[in-house]
C-alpha cells in the first residue's frame, strides 16, 4: 500500500490495520488518522472482507493524539476546521472492528479503541485518559464512551485526575475489554474472532452491530422497535433461508451474502 503511518494486510476474510509510527508510540497525527479512515473505508467497501482488526505495536496501541502537532493550535482554527472531527468517521464503518490493544492506549488511543466494536487486550495493556495533565479534556469519546464502559466513578477519576489507568485485567472486569491474552497471541486471537464473525451473513452481522451501537443512542422502546424491524427484514435474505434450512437438514450453513 502507499500508506506512510499504517500497514494493511488481509488474512482470509479479515483485514488487519496496524498503526505503524513506532518512534512516536503511534501518536495519532492527522495524516495517520486520514490513512486509518481511508483503509477502513476501502475494507468496508470490499465484498471479500467481513471484519477488521485494528492494532498497534507491542509497546503502544496509541499514546494519544499527537501533542507536538497540536500544541500551537488556536481556538478559531480548531473550531473552523473542526479539528479531529474526522475521527468520528470510524463510526460510519459498517463492518465490525476489533481493537487489539497491546501497551499504551492513552487519550485519543483509548478513545480510538472505544470507537471500535470489541476490545481485546494484551496482558500489559494500559488504558487511560491523561488529557487533563495537558490542560485539556478528552475529545473523542473519553467523557462519553468510557463512562458507559467503566461506570461514572472510575471515569471521573480517570478523566479528572488524569491517572487511575486501567490494567488489562481491570479493564476486563469492568467490561471495557472482553478478553485478555498474552501479548504475542493477541493479534491471532483477535483475527480468530474476526474470522468467525466474517463467516456469518454480512447483512445480519452489520445489523447486529448497528443495533448494539444504537442502544447507546435511543430510548429502549425505540431500540427494540428497530431491532424487530431489522429482524423481520432478514427474512427477505437468502442467507436466512440457508441458515435455517441448514439447521433443519443438520448441516453447516454456507452463507453467500445474499
Ligand atoms: C506526540 C508522543 C506522544 C503523543 C509519546 N510521544 N506520546 N508524541 N504525542 N501523544 C513521543 C515522545 O515524545 C517520544 O518522542 C516518543 O514518543 C517516546 O515516548 P517517551 O515518552 O520517551 O516513552 P516512555 O518514557 O516510555 O513513556 C510512554 C508514555 C509517554 C507514558 C506513553 O510517552 C506519555 O505520557 N505520552 C503522552 C500520553 C498522553 O498525554 N496522551 C494524551 C494525548 S492528548 P521523542 O522524540 O522524545 O523520542 C489526546 C487528546 C485526544 O490524546 C483528543 C482526541 C479527539
Amino acid at each position: 500500500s502507499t500508506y506512510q503511518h499504517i500497514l494493511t494486510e488481509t488474512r482470509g476474510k479479515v483485514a488487519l490495520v496496524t498503526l505503524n509510527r513506532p518512534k512516536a508510540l503511534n501518536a495519532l497525527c492527522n495524516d495517520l488518522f486520514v490513512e486509518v479512515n481511508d483503509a477502513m473505508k476501502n475494507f468496508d467497501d470490499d465484498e471479500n472482507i467481513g471484519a477488521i482488526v485494528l492494532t498497534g505495536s507491542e509497546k503502544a496501541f496509541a499514546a494519544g493524539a499527537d501533542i507536538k502537532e497540536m500544541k500551537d493550535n488556536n481556538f478559531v482554527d480548531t473550531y473552523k476546521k473542526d479539528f479531529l472531527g474526522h475521527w468520528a468517521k470510524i463510526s460510519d464503518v459498517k463492518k465490525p472492528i476489533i481493537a487489539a490493544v497491546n501497551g499504551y492506549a492513552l487519550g485519543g488511543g483509548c478513545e480510538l479503541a472505544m470507537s471500535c466494536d470489541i476490545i481485546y487486550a494484551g496482558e500489559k495493556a494500559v488504558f487511560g485518559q491523561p488529557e487533563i495533565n495537558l490542560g485539556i479534556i478528552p475529545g473523542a469519546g473519553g467523557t462519553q464512551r468510557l463512562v458507559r464502559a467503566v461506570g461514572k466513578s472510575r471515569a471521573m477519576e480517570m478523566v479528572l485526575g488524569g491517572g487511575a489507568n486501567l490494567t488489562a485485567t481491570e479493564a476486563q472486569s469492568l467490561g471495557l475489554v472482553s478478553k485478555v491474552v498474552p501479548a504475542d497471541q493477541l493479534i491471532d486471537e483477535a483475527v480468530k474472532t474476526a474470522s468467525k464473525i466474517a463467516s456469518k451473513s454480512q447483512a445480519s452481522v452489520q445489523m447486529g452491530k448497528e443495533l448494539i451501537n444504537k442502544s447507546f443512542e435511543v430510548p429502549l422502546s425505540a431500540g427494540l422497535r428497530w431491532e424487530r424491524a431489522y429482524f423481520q427484514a432478514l427474512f427477505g435474505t437468502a442467507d436466512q433461508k440457508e441458515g435455517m434450512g441448514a439447521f433443519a437438514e443438520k448441516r453447516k450453513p454456507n452463507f453467500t451474502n445474499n
Side-chain angles (χ1 to χ4, degrees), residues 30-101:
N30 184 69
D31 289 351
L32 183 154
F33 220 98
V34 168
E35 290 181 3
V36 168
N37 280 336
D38 185 71
M40 291 291 172
K41 170 94 178 71
N42 288 338
F43 287 131
D44 211 20
D45 290 345
D46 184 342
E47 280 280 317
N48 300 313
I49 294 299
I52 302 164
V53 172
L54 176 64
T55 194
S57 70
E58 198 139 318
K59 176 155 188 200
F61 177 74
D66 190 321
I67 300 167
K68 293 164 193 167
E69 189 180 65
M70 68 182 154
K71 73 182 186 21
D72 295 323
N73 286 0
N74 66 54
F75 165 68
V76 174
D77 281 342
T78 56
Y79 184 77
K80 277 197 308 194
K81 295 176 188 160
D82 196 18
F83 177 54
L84 302 185
H86 63 310
W87 282 38
K89 276 194 186 162
I90 198 159
S91 301
D92 297 337
V93 175
K94 298 183 76 177
K95 290 171 188 168
I97 307 174
I98 302 180
V101 176

Side-chain angles (χ1 to χ4, degrees), residues 188-247:
D188 285 347
E189 199 62 33
V191 169
K192 204 169 115 189
T193 298
S195 301
K196 184 177 182 184
I197 292 170
S199 73
K200 315 297 182 193
S201 176
Q202 282 187 13
S204 51
V205 166
Q206 291 177 21
M207 285 184 191
K209 164 174 168 159
E210 186 184 333
L211 288 163
I212 290 173
N213 285 326
K214 198 179 279 293
S215 77
F216 293 105
E217 310 272 357
V218 302
L220 180 63
S221 56
L224 289 168
R225 189 67 194 92
W226 274 95
E227 180 187 67
R228 200 179 332 132
Y230 276 19
F231 175 81
Q232 291 163 348
L234 285 169
F235 284 83
T237 65
D239 281 340
Q240 174 270 327
K241 298 286 172 290
E242 168 63 14
M244 293 191 181
F247 176 84

Side-chain angles (χ1 to χ4, degrees), residues 21-25 27-28 59 63-70 84 87 104 106-109 111 130-131 134 136-140:
R21 217 190 149 205
K23 283 189 192 137
L25 303 184
L28 304 162
K59 176 155 188 200
D66 190 321
I67 300 167
K68 293 164 193 167
E69 189 180 65
M70 68 182 154
L84 302 185
W87 282 38
Y104 296 112
L106 299 178
E111 296 173 299
E131 289 94 337
L134 301 166
I136 56 167
I137 57 169

